[in-house]
Amino acid sequence: MIVDFGKSGGLVPVIIQDNRTLQVLMLGYMNEEAFEKTKQEGIVTFFSRSKNRLWTKGEESGNFLTVKSIDVDCDQDTILIKVIPVNVVCHTGSFSCFGIKDSKGFIYELEDKISSRIDEKVENSYTYSLYQRGINKVTQKVGEEAVELVIEAKDNNDDLFKNEAADLLYHFLILLKTKGVLLEEIEEVLLERDK
């Protein structure tokens, strides 16, 4: 992986993107030293123009950015890093430096929340209690939600239809967790079919 640090006086822009939701979280800059440190440690380090030094995101707040992948654009002068953020990213307390959270990609946060409630055995959680009842009850609930969605699809109430679709999707995620399958794996099947 070659980055041309010479084009811009030694600094290149770095786009930080959430690995799960694909939302852009922030933009920073790296020099060659920051880039090498990021690759070696697996935690994003920038070159801070205001501090005039290397700066590891989260060094003070604890809100680190764990690297999942690094890509360089076709001109070799911009870096895209997909990360798993620890907590919020922006110094303002927002999840992103670009403002509000987009609903696109939220399904992965929901999948994580479902997984967490099951893995941590959260006793007062509907999700965990359904999971505890076993695969037969989980699949039965998915079937019930699918039937309710079909019924609502035949009517003209978009709000009820959307809510039933959300219920089905939620229970489908519980089924995936019960089967030990990630939503990403289903996307891979769909992508392969698209070829």
Side-chain angles (χ1 to χ4, degrees):
M1 174 178 327
I2 298 171
V3 180
D4 188 348
F5 289 98
K7 280 186 186 176
S8 310
L11 294 179
V12 297
V14 181
I15 302 162
I16 302 296
Q17 187 177 34
D18 188 296
N19 187 60
R20 298 286 302 240
T21 67
L22 301 182
Q23 288 192 250
V24 174
L25 301 175
M26 67 177 292
L27 172 74
Y29 292 88
M30 285 184 180
N31 61 9
E32 193 166 358
E33 187 180 1
F35 183 62
E36 291 304 321
K37 185 174 185 204
T38 297
K39 288 192 308 184
Q40 288 173 2
E41 296 180 356
I43 302 291
V44 175
T45 294
F46 296 106
F47 181 84
S48 171
R49 295 173 298 162
S50 61
K51 297 173 185 177
N52 198 31
R53 67 171 176 85
L54 293 187
W55 167 65
T56 299
K57 175 72 175 137
E59 66 187 27
E60 292 176 15
S61 66
N63 297 340
F64 295 101
L65 301 172
T66 303
V67 175
K68 292 305 284 183
S69 68
I70 300 175
D71 293 297
V72 178
D73 77 337
C74 58
D75 292 326
Q76 298 175 320
D77 61 2
T78 303
I79 301 168
L80 171 66
I81 302 180
K82 292 181 183 169
V83 302
I84 296 176
V86 174
N87 207 351
V88 298
V89 173
C90 186
H91 71 281
T92 64
S94 177
F95 92 104
S96 156
C97 294
F98 294 98
I100 63 169
K101 190 178 283 191
D102 194 341
S103 61
K104 287 182 172 50
F106 172 73
I107 194 162
Y108 287 102
E109 287 183 44
L110 180 59
E111 182 181 38
D112 289 344
K113 191 174 285 189
I114 287 168
S115 186
S116 169
R117 290 200 175 144
I118 290 170
D119 293 345
E120 294 170 14
K121 300 180 169 106
V122 178
E123 289 296 333
N124 61 349
S125 162
Y126 166 78
T127 302
Y128 178 61
S129 66
L130 178 60
Y131 173 81
Q132 250 187 329
R133 295 173 70 192
I135 189 73
N136 288 343
K137 288 296 180 185
V138 173
T139 55
Q140 179 183 345
K141 189 63 179 167
V142 170
E144 289 170 8
E145 295 299 340
V147 169
E148 290 172 13
L149 178 63
V150 169
I151 290 168
E152 289 304 332
K154 298 176 72 154
D155 293 336
N156 292 321
N157 188 325
D158 287 346
D159 285 338
L160 287 175
F161 174 75
K162 290 175 190 177
N163 276 283
E164 291 301 340
D167 287 348
L168 176 58
L169 191 50
Y170 180 79
H171 288 90
F172 176 65
L173 291 173
I174 296 172
L175 177 60
L176 289 180
K177 173 66 177 176
T178 305
K179 294 293 290 178
V181 174
L182 296 172
L183 182 60
E184 200 171 310
E185 295 174 75
I186 306 304
E187 283 184 321
E188 289 168 4
V189 170
L190 293 170
L191 181 62
E192 186 61 34
R193 287 181 183 179
D194 189 47
K195 295 175 184 174

